[in-house]
């Protein structure tokens, strides 16, 4: 059963059809046109529509002929005139009439017919016009326009006029030469077929500012396929002439590092499949030149014309369509024409000079670089250059061109021309109608793909040029380094300056997953376009000095000076990458999102390319400068000045990670640092650690990775020979082998272990740097014991070479001073053991200090310089330590500890007693020994050796313990031998004590006395020497008693019978003399 509403509808219609009256719907044409014009709110809309029609008519030239008057100079404020006015000119001239004409195809009958109809657009699917209302923008400045078109001499005219609120036309044959007469222009050679629009001003309005008008017209020529020249006349005088010339057009070649055009990873279709990019020659790049000539003074027809030129590059692609039937049907209903089977998408890449032969673009070696044609920083521009400069969009301000420029931005610094479906006024893209939304979003996605492919191609071209010009940059760097070296030498000779610390906060942590970073950068970029951003970017390309900051040491270490002028390739890359520094598109942010979606989908597995100091690489493989890491040869680093001028591109689009310690470690493992770079590295690391928290933990790994070579010192110049010199062998050192540095107390000029910084390198690095706390795990002050362990095996101490005399002496002095400073010297002497038997001590020969190799002796072969050896003259050669060593600070204590003698050896002494004639008179010998510094071994030898003469005995020599000091009391003992001492004055007490110390006896032992007495006692009374026995008994008894010498030992001899006794026999009364023991 049909719904009730449907039945009512059919019933009512049937009733009206039978009995109702017919009436045509009427249109208030004036009101309709006014309402249509209200949608065209943008400045210059009438010129935009006329220029679009000219391009559709395949016109190559358009002329705008303006007539002005000084009458009625006060402008009338009405909204309609805004469609023609660009800006109020400072003069009082007002526009009374405008003739716009083009040399395209003359109007055909169907064109005249469409001109009389509103909302009947161009049915040609390749043309932009769809709604048929653009021509009516003429009514924004003119009440009744006049259109003249046709072959030359056969022109037809159509005049519009009003009857009340109805718009009427009259068409007829135009008078001969009507257009030229109307414009009062004389050009006898003009054979063009002109289509002219004569527009008398409804209300005179101010003459447009020709600079701003020129910028508008220049933008109108951005994507025109045919229209290439626009002339503006004011009162019959040419004031503005804009020419677009195609220089070259070629197929975009496949980048070397990619095979995307062979469908090996690049996606070239929209996600809906509605649009697919063509292949091969369907993708091209075109270079054009825009030339603007503008008269300096509008009011003076005789003033000169000034000219400015700029070059631009475009990329275009033929796109094939596969529109679903249901979508196609809905599009036809809205636009009244079929969607195109194929269409062209164009993007405007940049506008700058790209001529390699242009002298103004070559690298300037001695001047600061500035981009006059791109940034015009701080310079006064000509009016013509202001027009050409506007040709290139600023970042994020690229426009959508639907035929001509709309108010919709792309979000990039890239213009886009595509047959998108616009709103009626062609100022925006229609995203309201579902079918048009699907069409437009898919086409924008394909445009984003084209942007990515064009970017890939251009960066590949830049990369090839970069490689070709590598030698030129290398030579510049060499000359620059030489200049720096000379300047540094000059500065050092004048003054020494230190750096001020400058700290900066550390950034975000680095990531290690490349695949994640690719996806994050590309699809994060699409999200970024959706959510917008708040940061600001420097619009003008910066010169290098603007980025460096203060010129102190810390700033230079953390922000390395990079004053090489920008090369042509770098400037091209900056311009290109700035074009892709995205902003949210306005007024509709969907445009930027769809473009970013296509851009990201094109090569999802590869980040966009960037220009580094090593060439063009993928964003994930490039590295951004970070606190000075870039100074140490890390590959694929983006120059700071390049990054600063395209920050959003490097971070959001290309996803370039910043440099991190792991990058530096890997790079250092693959290179050998020059000495200057090593010094920079060591000065940089502590500063970097202070501003980047947590990085200190990488210190040991970093140290292990560093290899370096030092400058050759004191190298004698090589003789020039005809033969080819052998290549110099460069010694490569590892920083991990360096464990020590010397402190300020360490003597200069001494040899050092390989594990210690060389003095020259340490001086250049600086003591404060080496002592920095961040190096506490890298090295420490060289302990003197470690140095001693090294020096005792050094050639200067072991080989005794003449060239090393100075070093040898300095080393001996240093060792001696350190030895003297120690409280406990035994352990240190153990370290010196290897040289105790080596000839390293210089000695005096013949009383002079010799510098020959034969003047080096082992310590045991030398005597102190202060030793008095005069007593031994004639007994042999004696070598003393050089007196100069003592003057230089070598102590006798050290020399004695090393084995140097203060006295002659006992073996020598004993071997030359006969020569010395000391075997008969020991007094000189004892005098020498008493004053000599005798070792323990010497004393032992003196105690055990037989070298002393006995009194009245020349048969042999005796040891000190075999002899007695002369004492009359001891003469009674025949076993006592006295020391021969020829002196009437007796023996001095010092000699006496020294001899006793050596073992010379004062009292005979009790055992000898008791043996002597027992032997005497055993004799018969007649044979016994009673006097001697009595003297011996008195000597013994005098040394007995509580404090007697022999008291303690006498108990062992109580059974000896040595006491003379008288015994009387009681029976016989006989008295008997006999010997008895004390115990009897």
């Amino acid at each position: 059963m049909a719904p009730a509403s449907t039945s009512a509808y059919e019933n009512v219609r049937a009733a009206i059809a039978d009995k109702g009256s017919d009436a045509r719907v009427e249109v208030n044409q004036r009101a309709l046109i006014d309402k249509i014009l209200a949608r065209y709110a943008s400045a210059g809309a009438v010129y935009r529509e006329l220029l679009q029609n000219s391009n559709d008519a395949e016109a190559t030239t358009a002329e705008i002929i303006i007539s002005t008057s000084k009458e009625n100079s006060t402008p009338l404020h009405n909204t309609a005139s805004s469609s023609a006015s660009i800006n109020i000119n400072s003069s009082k001239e007002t526009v009374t009439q405008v003739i716009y004409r083009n040399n395209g195809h003359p109007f055909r009958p169907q064109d005249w017919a469409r001109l009389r109809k509103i909302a009947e657009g161009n049915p040609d699917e390749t043309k932009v016009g769809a709604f048929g209302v653009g021509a009516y923008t003429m009514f924004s400045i003119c009440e009744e326009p006049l259109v003249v078109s046709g072959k030359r001499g056969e022109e037809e005219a159509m005049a519009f006029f009003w009857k009340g609120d109805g718009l009427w036309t009259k068409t007829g044959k135009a008078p001969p030469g009507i257009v030229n007469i109307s414009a009062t222009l004389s050009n006898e050679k003009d054979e063009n077929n002109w289509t002219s629009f004569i527009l008398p001003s409804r209300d005179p309005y101010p003459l447009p500012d020709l600079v701003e008008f020129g910028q508008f017209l220049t933008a109108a020529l951005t994507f025109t396929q045919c229209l290439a020249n626009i002339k503006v006349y004011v009162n019959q005088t040419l004031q503005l002439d804009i020419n677009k010339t195609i220089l070259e057009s070629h197929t975009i070649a496949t980048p070397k590092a990619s095979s995307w055009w062979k469908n090996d990873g690049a996606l070239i279709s929209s996600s809906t499949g509605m649009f697919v990019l063509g292949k091969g020659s369907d993708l091209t790049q075109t270079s054009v030149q825009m030339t603007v000539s503008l008269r300096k003074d509008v009011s003076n027809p005789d003033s000169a014309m000034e000219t400015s030129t700029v070059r631009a590059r475009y990329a275009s692609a033929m796109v094939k369509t596969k529109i679903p039937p249901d979508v196609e049907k809905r599009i036809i209903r809205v636009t009244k024409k079929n969607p195109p089977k194929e269409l062209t998408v164009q993007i405007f890449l940049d506008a700058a000079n790209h001529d390699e032969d242009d002298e103004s673009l070559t690298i300037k070696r001695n001047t600061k670089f500035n981009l006059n044609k791109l940034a015009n920083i701080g310079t006064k521009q000509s009016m013509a250059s202001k027009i050409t400069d506007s040709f290139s969009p600023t970042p994020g301000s690229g426009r959508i061109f639907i035929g001509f420029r709309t108010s919709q931005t792309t979000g990039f610094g890239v213009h886009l021309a595509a047959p998108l479906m616009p709103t009626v006024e062609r100022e925006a893209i229609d995203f309201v109608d579902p079918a048009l939304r699907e069409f437009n979003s898919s086409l924008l996605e394909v445009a984003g793909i084209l942007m990515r492919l064009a970017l890939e191609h251009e960066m590949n071209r830049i990369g090839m040029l970069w490689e070709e010009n590598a030698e030129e940059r290398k030579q510049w760097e060499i000359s620059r380094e030489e200049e720096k070296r000379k300047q540094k030498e000059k500065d050092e000779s004048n003054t020494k300056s230190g750096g001020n610390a400058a700290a900066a906060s550390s950034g975000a942590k680095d990531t290690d997953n490349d695949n994640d970073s690719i996806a994050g950068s590309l699809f994060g970029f699409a999200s970024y376009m959706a959510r917008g951003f708040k940061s600001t970017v420097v619009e003008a390309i910066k010169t290098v000095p603007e980025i460096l900051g203060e010129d102190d040491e810390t700033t230079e270490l953390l922000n390395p000076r990079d004053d090489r002028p920008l090369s042509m390739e770098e400037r091209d890359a900056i311009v290109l990458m700035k074009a892709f520094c995205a902003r949210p598109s306005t007024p509709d942010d969907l445009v930027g999102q769809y473009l970013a979606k296509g851009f990201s989908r094109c090569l999802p597995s590869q980040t966009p390319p960037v220009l580094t100091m090593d060439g063009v690489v993928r964003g994930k493989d490039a590295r951004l400068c970070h606190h000075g890491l870039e100074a140490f040869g890390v590959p694929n680093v983006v120059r700071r000045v390049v990054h600063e001028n395209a920050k959003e591109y490097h971070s959001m689009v290309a996803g370039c990670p910043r440099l991190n310690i792991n990058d530096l470690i890997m790079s250092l493992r693959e290179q050998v640092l020059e000495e200057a770079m090593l010094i920079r590295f060591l000065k940089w690391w502590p500063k970097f650690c202070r501003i980047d928290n947590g990085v200190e933990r990488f210190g040991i790994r970093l140290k292990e990775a560093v290899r370096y070579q030092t400058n050759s010192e004191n190298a004698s110049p090589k003789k020039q020979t005809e033969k080819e010199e052998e290549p110099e062998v460069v010694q490569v050192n590892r920083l991990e082998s360096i464990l020590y540095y010397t402190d300020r107390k360490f003597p200069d000029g001494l040899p050092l272990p390989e594990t210690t910084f060389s003095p020259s390198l340490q001086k250049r690095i600086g003591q404060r740097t080496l002592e920095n706390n961040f190096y506490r795990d890298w090295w420490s002050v060289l302990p003197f014991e470690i140095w001693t362990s090294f020096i005792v095996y050094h050639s200067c101490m072991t080989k005794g070479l003449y060239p090393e005399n100075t070093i040898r002496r300095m080393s001996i002095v240093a060792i001696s001073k350190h030895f003297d400073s120690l409280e406990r010297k035994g352990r240190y002497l153990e370290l010196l053991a290897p040289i105790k038997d080596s000839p390293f001590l210089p000695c005096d020969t013949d009383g002079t200090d010799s510098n020959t190799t034969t003047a080096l002796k082992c310590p045991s072969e030398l005597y102190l310089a202060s030793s008095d050896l005069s007593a031994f003259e004639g007994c042999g050669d004696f070598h003393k330590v050089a007196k100069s060593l003592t003057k230089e600070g070598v102590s006798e204590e050290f020399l004695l500890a090393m084995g140097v003698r203060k006295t002659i050896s006992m073996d020598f002494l004993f071997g030359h007693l006969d020569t010395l004639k000391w075997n008969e008179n020991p007094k000189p010998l004892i005098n020498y020994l008493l004053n000599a510094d005798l070792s323990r071994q010497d004393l032992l030898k003196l105690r055990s050796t037989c070298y002393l003469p006995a009194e009245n005995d020349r048969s042999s020599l005796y040891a000190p313990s075999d002899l007695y000091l002369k004492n009359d009391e001891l003469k009674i003992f025949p076993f006592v031998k006295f020391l021969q001492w020829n002196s009437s004055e007796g023996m001095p007490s010092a000699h006496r004590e020294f001899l006793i110390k050596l073992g010379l006896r004062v009292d005979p032992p009790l055992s000898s006395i008791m043996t002597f007495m027992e032997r005497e006692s055993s004799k018969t009374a007649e044979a016994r020497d009673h006097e001697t026995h009595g003297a011996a008994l008195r000597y013994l008894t005098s040394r007995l008693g509580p404090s007697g010498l022999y008291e303690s030992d006498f108990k062992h001899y109580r059974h000896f019978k040595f006491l003379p006794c008288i015994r009387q026999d009681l029976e016989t009364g006989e008295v008997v003399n006999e010997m008895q023991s004390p115990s009897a």
Side-chain angles (χ1 to χ4, degrees):
M1 183 176 179
S5 59
T6 302
S7 300
Y9 174 80
E10 292 176 350
N11 291 336
V12 173
R13 284 190 64 87
I16 294 175
D18 292 338
K19 300 179 180 180
S21 59
D22 296 336
R24 185 176 182 179
V25 176
E26 296 182 357
V27 177
N28 185 326
Q29 292 176 319
R30 183 181 291 276
L32 176 61
I33 291 175
D34 286 344
K35 291 181 183 297
I36 291 173
L37 293 176
R39 299 293 300 274
Y40 285 87
S42 62
V46 61
Y47 297 111
R48 187 191 69 184
E49 294 297 332
L50 292 174
L51 289 167
Q52 175 64 62
N53 292 336
S54 301
N55 190 62
D56 288 345
E58 299 181 3
T60 59
T61 301
E63 295 182 350
I64 302 173
I65 305 156
I66 302 174
S67 299
T68 65
S69 173
K70 291 190 177 182
E71 298 178 358
N72 300 321
S73 58
T74 303
L76 298 176
H77 299 281
N78 61 75
T79 58
S81 64
S82 66
S83 297
S85 176
I86 303 299
N87 196 4
I88 298 176
N89 194 286
S90 59
S91 68
K92 299 297 182 179
E93 298 286 336
T94 56
V95 178
T96 58
Q97 177 178 278
V98 173
I99 296 177
Y100 176 90
R101 66 180 189 172
N102 69 75
N103 65 349
H105 298 303
F107 272 26
R108 299 165 298 174
Q110 58 266 36
D111 298 324
W112 289 113
R114 276 200 310 273
L115 192 58
R116 290 192 295 268
K117 297 178 182 180
I118 299 176
E120 186 171 323
N122 194 333
D124 188 346
E125 63 188 34
T126 64
K127 305 301 181 183
V128 175
F131 302 103
V133 296
Y136 283 81
T137 56
M138 293 183 295
F139 290 92
S140 65
I141 62 173
C142 178
E143 183 71 11
E144 297 179 336
L146 178 65
V147 181
V148 180
S149 182
K151 293 183 179 180
R152 192 173 182 81
E154 301 177 8
E155 292 91 345
E156 293 184 8
M158 176 182 286
F160 291 84
F161 60 94
W162 294 94
K163 289 183 179 181
D165 289 331
L167 183 62
W168 297 75
T169 64
K170 284 188 177 182
T171 305
K173 186 74 173 178
I178 181 63
V179 176
N180 282 342
I181 293 174
S182 299
T184 64
L185 297 175
S186 58
N187 187 355
E188 298 178 357
K189 297 181 180 181
D190 184 6
E191 298 180 356
N192 287 309
N193 296 320
W194 293 100
T195 296
S196 304
F197 299 81
I198 305 174
L199 309 172
S201 299
R202 177 192 300 113
D203 299 312
Y205 53 88
L207 178 68
D209 179 82
L210 291 183
V211 172
E212 187 172 346
F213 194 33
Q215 293 173 343
F216 169 80
L217 296 176
T218 301
L221 288 180
T222 302
F223 290 106
T224 54
Q225 299 296 317
C226 302
L227 190 60
N229 177 230
I230 301 176
K231 291 181 171 64
V232 177
Y233 295 86
V234 178
N235 297 328
Q236 300 85 41
T237 301
L238 179 64
Q239 299 289 346
L240 177 63
D241 188 1
I242 305 172
N243 277 283
K244 182 173 75 171
T245 306
I246 296 178
L247 301 178
E248 60 177 354
S249 181
H250 58 84
T251 301
I252 293 180
T254 303
K256 287 183 178 180
S258 174
S259 56
W260 52 265
W261 202 242
K262 297 179 181 179
N263 291 328
D264 62 345
L267 301 176
I268 56 175
S269 64
S270 63
S271 57
T272 62
M274 191 177 295
F275 298 101
V276 180
L277 287 179
K279 298 181 180 181
S281 60
D282 289 341
L283 182 60
T284 59
Q285 178 175 295
T286 303
S287 297
V288 302
Q289 177 171 289
M290 190 73 72
T291 303
V292 175
S293 297
L294 179 65
R295 197 172 299 280
K296 291 184 177 181
D297 188 355
V298 176
S299 61
N300 182 6
D302 297 326
S303 62
M305 300 282 283
E306 58 184 17
T307 302
S308 178
T309 301
V310 69
R311 294 186 180 183
R313 287 181 295 200
Y314 298 82
S316 63
M318 189 65 67
V319 180
K320 298 185 182 299
T321 62
K322 296 180 181 179
I323 302 176
D326 59 326
V327 178
E328 183 177 11
K329 182 178 179 180
R330 285 181 285 161
I331 291 175
I332 294 173
R333 181 183 60 79
V334 175
T335 63
K336 300 301 185 288
K337 62 181 179 182
N338 295 322
K341 298 299 181 184
E342 61 180 19
L343 49 85
T344 300
V345 177
Q346 290 180 288
I347 60 172
F348 176 99
L349 292 177
D350 57 52
N353 278 319
H354 303 282
D355 189 352
E356 298 179 31
D357 299 325
D358 189 343
E359 294 181 358
S360 66
L361 293 177
T362 56
I363 296 178
K364 298 179 180 180
R365 303 305 185 192
N366 299 317
T367 59
K368 294 181 179 179
F369 169 76
N370 64 68
L371 291 171
N372 293 328
K373 302 193 177 185
L374 295 178
N376 294 294
I377 302 172
T379 59
K380 185 177 181 181
Q381 293 178 275
S382 66
M383 292 188 295
S385 66
K386 290 181 180 179
I387 296 175
T388 55
D389 287 345
S390 70
F391 191 47
S392 180
T394 56
S397 67
R399 296 294 185 90
I400 297 291
F401 283 66
I402 307 177
F404 283 88
R405 186 170 66 178
T406 68
S407 60
Q408 176 65 51
T409 66
T410 61
F412 297 92
V414 178
H415 293 315
L416 167 64
L420 295 156
M421 298 299 178
T423 54
V424 174
E425 75 283 2
R426 286 199 301 170
E427 288 293 336
I429 301 172
D430 194 334
F431 288 117
V432 177
D433 183 88
L436 298 186
R437 179 189 179 99
E438 187 173 355
F439 179 93
N440 289 331
S441 61
S442 296
L443 187 53
L444 286 171
E445 190 176 330
V446 168
I449 293 174
L450 176 60
M451 288 182 180
R452 176 65 186 275
L453 298 181
L455 171 65
E456 294 282 333
H457 171 77
E458 277 302 293
M459 291 301 291
N460 183 55
R461 179 190 67 83
I462 292 172
M464 290 187 291
L465 290 175
W466 182 266
E467 293 178 3
E468 292 174 4
N469 297 327
E471 186 61 29
E472 180 183 4
R473 292 192 304 275
K474 181 179 179 181
Q475 292 302 320
W476 188 92
E477 293 287 356
I478 292 174
S479 62
R480 177 59 178 160
E481 288 301 320
E482 181 64 19
E483 291 178 7
K484 287 182 178 180
R485 184 186 63 79
K486 292 180 180 179
Q487 183 62 39
K488 185 176 180 180
E489 291 177 354
K490 182 179 179 181
D491 294 342
E492 288 179 350
S493 64
N494 295 332
T495 183
K496 295 182 179 179
S497 60
N500 297 321
S505 60
S506 60
K509 300 298 181 182
D510 303 300
T511 60
D512 297 323
N513 193 319
D514 287 341
N515 293 328
D516 291 346
S517 66
I518 293 173
S521 64
L522 288 176
F523 294 102
F525 162 59
S527 302
Y528 161 78
M529 289 295 290
R531 69 175 181 269
F533 82 119
K534 298 181 180 180
S535 62
T536 59
V537 184
V538 178
E539 298 296 338
I541 290 184
K542 297 180 180 180
T543 57
V544 175
E546 290 180 278
I547 299 174
L548 291 181
E550 299 180 4
D551 191 17
D552 56 61
E553 184 184 52
T554 299
T555 300
E556 204 283 327
L557 288 172
L558 298 176
N559 300 278
R561 181 182 296 277
D562 181 10
D563 50 5
R564 175 174 62 80
L566 288 170
S567 66
M568 180 191 68
E569 299 83 18
E570 289 170 322
R571 283 175 277 169
D572 278 0
I574 287 175
V575 172
L576 183 62
M577 291 187 293
K578 280 177 72 70
F580 288 90
C581 289
R583 310 282 197 278
S585 57
T586 57
D588 197 331
D589 59 3
L590 287 175
V591 173
Q593 294 176 37
Y594 289 133
L595 288 173
K597 180 181 179 182
F599 186 96
S600 303
R601 285 186 66 252
C602 180
L603 291 168
S605 62
Q606 300 184 48
T607 52
V610 297
L611 177 62
T612 70
M613 288 185 276
D614 296 301
V616 173
V617 300
R618 293 291 168 191
K620 71 178 182 64
D621 298 323
R623 294 294 183 268
L624 301 178
C625 297
H626 180 57
H627 296 324
L629 282 94
E630 61 272 19
F632 305 110
V634 181
N636 298 328
V637 174
V638 179
R639 281 188 74 185
R640 189 179 298 275
V641 66
V642 175
H643 173 231
E644 287 289 334
N645 285 283
K647 283 185 176 180
E648 286 81 10
Y649 177 86
H650 288 95
S651 58
M652 296 303 305
V653 180
C656 299
R658 71 179 186 181
L659 277 170
N660 58 50
I661 289 298
N662 288 325
D663 296 324
L664 179 59
I665 291 174
M666 288 189 293
S667 175
L668 291 175
R669 287 174 178 167
E670 301 298 324
Q671 60 176 310
V672 177
L673 297 181
E674 298 287 343
E675 182 176 302
M677 191 56 67
L678 173 68
I679 294 169
R680 179 188 183 91
F681 170 80
L682 295 178
K683 289 185 176 182
W684 164 82
W685 175 246
K687 300 179 185 298
F688 180 68
C689 290
R690 284 200 297 270
I691 63 174
D692 205 331
N693 295 329
V695 76
E696 185 184 356
R697 68 181 187 274
F698 294 96
I700 298 302
R701 286 180 56 199
L702 193 61
K703 182 186 179 186
E704 292 173 351
V706 175
R707 296 183 299 165
Y708 67 95
Q709 62 185 52
T710 56
N711 299 334
S712 57
E713 300 177 5
N714 304 321
S716 58
K718 297 182 179 180
K719 296 182 180 179
Q720 297 294 329
T721 61
E722 296 182 359
K723 297 182 180 180
E724 183 178 355
E725 295 183 356
E726 295 182 359
E728 183 180 356
V729 178
V730 177
Q731 182 179 359
V732 177
N733 306 299
R734 287 189 172 274
L735 191 60
E736 65 176 330
S737 66
I738 300 298
L739 305 177
Y740 307 107
Y741 65 92
T742 57
D743 58 14
R744 295 174 178 83
K745 298 178 181 179
F746 195 87
D748 295 332
L750 293 178
L752 296 174
E754 292 183 354
T755 56
T756 308
F757 281 109
S758 66
S760 60
L761 180 57
Q762 180 171 323
K763 181 178 180 181
R764 294 187 63 188
I765 296 171
Q767 195 76 17
R768 291 182 61 185
T769 298
L770 296 175
E771 293 173 350
N772 194 286
N773 190 49
F774 289 106
Y775 287 129
R776 62 184 178 276
D777 296 329
W778 289 41
W779 43 64
S780 60
V781 175
L782 175 65
F784 208 87
E785 287 73 13
I786 297 295
W787 177 82
T788 303
S789 300
F790 156 76
I791 200 65
V792 295
Y793 293 102
H794 192 271
S795 59
C796 71
M797 304 296 283
T798 60
K799 295 184 178 180
L801 301 177
Y802 173 73
E804 295 180 325
N805 278 355
T806 302
I807 295 177
R808 185 184 305 109
R809 284 175 170 270
M810 294 173 59
S811 301
I812 295 171
V813 172
I815 294 173
S816 174
K817 290 182 177 180
H818 182 71
F819 176 84
D820 296 339
S821 67
L822 298 175
E823 293 183 2
R824 297 181 179 180
K825 300 176 171 52
R827 186 68 179 272
Y828 189 67
L829 285 175
E830 294 178 4
L831 298 176
L832 299 174
I835 59 172
K836 282 191 173 182
D837 297 325
S838 299
F840 73 93
L841 286 175
C843 62
D844 289 342
T845 58
D846 299 329
T848 60
D849 197 358
S850 175
N851 288 323
T852 65
T853 56
T854 57
L856 298 177
K857 298 291 183 181
C858 297
S860 60
E861 299 174 343
L862 293 176
Y863 296 87
L864 295 178
S866 61
S867 297
D868 182 10
L869 303 178
S870 58
F872 304 99
E873 292 182 1
C875 295
D877 295 328
F878 302 100
H879 300 287
K880 294 184 178 182
V881 175
K883 293 180 180 178
S884 57
L885 282 183
T886 304
K887 296 178 180 178
E888 293 170 7
V890 179
S891 68
E892 290 189 350
E893 182 184 6
F894 165 72
L895 293 173
L896 291 172
M898 289 301 297
V900 175
R901 301 189 63 83
K902 185 176 183 181
T903 62
I904 60 173
S905 68
M906 294 299 102
D907 292 336
F908 178 87
L909 179 65
F910 298 146
H912 291 80
L913 288 178
D914 291 337
T915 306
L916 295 171
K917 298 181 180 180
W918 288 356
N919 54 351
E920 296 180 359
N921 183 15
K923 184 177 180 180
L925 173 62
I926 302 303
N927 282 333
Y928 169 76
L929 294 177
L930 184 63
N931 295 317
D933 188 6
L934 299 176
S935 65
R936 183 177 181 182
Q937 289 77 10
D938 291 340
L939 290 174
L940 290 174
K941 186 166 288 188
L942 286 172
R943 288 191 181 100
S944 60
T945 306
C946 297
Y947 59 90
L948 294 176
E951 192 176 60
N952 302 320
D953 186 358
R954 296 185 178 182
S955 60
S956 61
L957 296 176
Y958 298 90
S961 59
D962 295 333
L963 299 177
Y964 293 82
L965 286 174
K966 194 162 185 179
N967 185 350
D968 291 340
E969 288 183 297
L970 300 181
K971 289 181 179 180
I972 60 176
F973 300 113
F975 59 85
V976 172
K977 294 183 180 294
F978 294 107
L979 172 68
Q980 177 68 36
W981 191 264
N982 298 330
S983 175
S984 60
E985 299 177 358
M987 181 180 293
S989 60
H991 292 62
R992 177 185 178 87
E993 292 175 0
F994 175 72
L995 287 171
I996 293 174
K997 181 180 179 181
L998 292 179
L1000 195 68
R1001 297 178 182 275
V1002 176
D1003 294 296
L1006 178 61
S1007 60
S1008 298
I1009 294 176
M1010 296 306 297
T1011 301
F1012 168 75
M1013 294 188 69
E1014 185 180 26
R1015 186 172 57 251
E1016 287 295 321
S1017 297
S1018 63
K1019 293 179 181 180
T1020 62
E1022 293 78 9
R1024 180 185 307 122
D1025 186 348
H1026 295 282
E1027 184 177 354
T1028 301
H1029 183 271
L1033 184 59
R1034 286 192 295 275
Y1035 179 85
L1036 174 61
T1037 55
S1038 66
R1039 286 162 175 76
L1040 293 176
S1043 59
L1045 176 63
Y1046 303 131
E1047 178 65 24
S1048 61
D1049 294 331
F1050 185 71
K1051 61 186 176 180
H1052 302 296
Y1053 300 99
R1054 290 183 179 275
H1055 61 282
F1056 276 43
K1057 295 180 178 183
F1058 64 91
L1059 292 176
C1061 297
I1062 297 175
R1063 179 173 62 85
Q1064 184 176 10
D1065 190 344
L1066 297 177
E1067 293 179 0
T1068 62
E1070 182 182 1
V1071 177
V1072 180
N1073 292 320
E1074 61 181 2
M1075 297 292 180
Q1076 290 293 335
S1077 64
S1079 59

